Amino acid sequence: MDKPEPRIIEIESFSDPQLDVYARLTETQLRSGHNIPDPLFIAESPNVIDRALDAGYEPVSLLMERKHIDRQAKGIIERCEGIPVYTSSLDVLTKLTGFPLTRGVLCAMRRRKLPSADEVCRDASRIAVLENVVNPTNIGAIFRSAAALGIDAVLLTPACCDPLYRRAVRVSMGTVFQIPWAYLCDEVSDWPHPGLEIISGAGFSTAAMALSEDSVSITDPNLMAEEKLAIILGTEGDGLSESTIAECDYTVKIPMAHGVDSLNVAAASAVAFWQLGRH
């Protein structure tokens, strides 16, 4: 049976409501399903879209430069049979989306129901826990490091940036589709309690990445020998809250040189995952 031909649709008007998901709806509106049938997110670039498709996410439509239809997006179009492919020249698309399409291809995809924290922790031995990390670039970078450096799952407190925001997905290079993740609790007030109890109840020792008088080195042999370890990282600027640090089994520091007192949370995560994620 022949595959259906792609539905190539030339963009003639910016007012077409089918383009709202790319041009007018905010990330929050996409996430909530505002004026659209289902909650969506936007994946950008063929490599990222491929990873989302591999993970089972369902495509709704594509937006791309005309020149990519028979080039870098050809395989994506073949995988997304029957969905509309909106296209135009680069200058028109730049006006439409508000920024240059540096990788030429966007895909609107349906969100899936997230697993519970218990589900993503079930078979894990090393997890990352993010407390109120709000910058999508940092979220994306942390996921990319987690995927590369032996972390089995990521848990987020409710105040964290959504890992499926466009910039987070792009910076992660699609690894948000490869690493299991979940929100640790439903309400901001549920962290650190009962959030920490969920982690400890799953059998994890907790390691707060922070500087304090009783910090142990990231190379501490007892820390590294833990069978199940949750590496907890705090928000940009302020780091982990004092209440979270006080409740963790370890407070862990990364040795510094030249008077530097701390690293950006994304950089700190890469160091911590490299040292503690090998198991």
Side-chain angles (χ1 to χ4, degrees), residues 125-126 149-152 231 271-279:
S125 61
R126 290 292 186 271
L149 300 173
I151 300 302
D152 301 312
I231 303 164
V271 175
F273 298 163
W274 167 252
Q275 182 63 36
L276 301 174
R278 296 174 287 174
H279 56 278

Side-chain angles (χ1 to χ4, degrees), residues 63-198:
L63 174 69
M64 67 186 65
E65 288 182 65
R66 191 183 300 111
K67 68 179 183 180
H68 292 316
I69 292 174
D70 295 316
R71 298 182 187 179
Q72 67 183 62
K74 184 177 180 179
I76 296 293
I77 294 172
E78 290 175 350
R79 295 190 68 182
C80 299
E81 294 179 10
I83 69 170
V85 180
Y86 299 105
T87 185
S88 191
S89 61
L90 178 60
D91 59 335
V92 171
L93 294 181
T94 298
K95 292 176 183 177
L96 174 65
T97 60
F99 61 89
L101 285 175
T102 54
R103 293 175 179 84
V105 184
L106 299 177
C107 184
M109 311 191 90
R110 287 190 174 90
R111 288 174 176 264
R112 300 190 310 205
K113 181 181 178 181
L114 286 176
S116 68
D118 287 337
E119 288 172 324
V120 301
C121 288
R122 188 168 296 141
D123 298 318
S125 61
R126 290 292 186 271
I127 63 172
V129 180
L130 309 185
E131 178 186 271
N132 305 341
V133 178
V134 298
N135 185 299
T137 298
N138 285 334
I139 289 285
I142 291 168
F143 267 86
R144 190 172 182 181
S145 293
L149 300 173
I151 300 302
D152 301 312
V154 178
L155 297 179
L156 305 99
T157 62
C160 281
C161 168
D162 180 4
L164 294 185
Y165 277 3
R166 185 183 300 181
R167 184 166 182 81
V169 171
R170 183 169 70 248
V171 172
S172 82
M173 291 299 294
T175 54
V176 294
F177 310 124
Q178 298 174 315
I179 294 290
W181 61 273
Y183 284 98
L184 188 54
C185 33
D186 295 325
E187 304 293 336
V188 173
S189 59
D190 291 338
W191 178 262
H193 299 289
L196 283 173
E197 283 78 11
I198 295 172

Side-chain angles (χ1 to χ4, degrees), residues 257-269:
H258 301 292
V260 177
D261 61 355
S262 64
L263 295 172
N264 164 274
V265 65
S269 74

